[in-house]
Amino acid sequence: ERMFDFPGRSSRGTTVTMAYLFVLDASQGRPHVKGGDDAAMAYWFSTGDLRNMRNEIYEDHLDIIEYMTSRL
């Protein structure tokens, strides 16, 4: 777990994000995900795909994901 609280990290003002990294057992498949009240849809994709999606990922969230996954 890691807290991200850099004062200028969000256009929304002071925002604190507590990030957790979960490593799933690849032999068990991925759990089902679905969009909720904050998303029309949800789906799994590789972290490699994320790097090509920087403009689609909110503010510094890709940086947070890259920081967390670099600890694996």
Side-chain angles (χ1 to χ4, degrees):
E1 78 183 53
R2 167 96 195 257
M3 181 171 49
F4 296 86
D5 61 352
F6 177 72
R9 64 176 286 262
S10 178
S11 62
R12 297 171 291 170
T14 302
T15 303
V16 176
T17 296
M18 192 66 174
Y20 298 86
L21 176 67
F22 296 90
V23 178
L24 302 175
D25 182 345
S27 70
Q28 299 297 313
R30 298 287 181 244
H32 175 74
V33 295
K34 69 176 192 167
D37 63 348
D38 64 340
M41 63 182 178
Y43 53 91
W44 292 103
F45 45 87
S46 75
T47 54
D49 292 340
L50 286 172
R51 289 172 185 86
N52 296 322
M53 299 169 63
R54 181 170 287 279
N55 294 332
E56 299 174 53
I57 299 174
Y58 191 69
E59 294 188 331
D60 66 342
H61 292 182
L62 180 57
D63 299 323
I64 292 171
I65 293 167
E66 288 179 336
Y67 175 86
M68 297 299 285
T69 57
S70 72
R71 284 15 190 186
L72 293 174

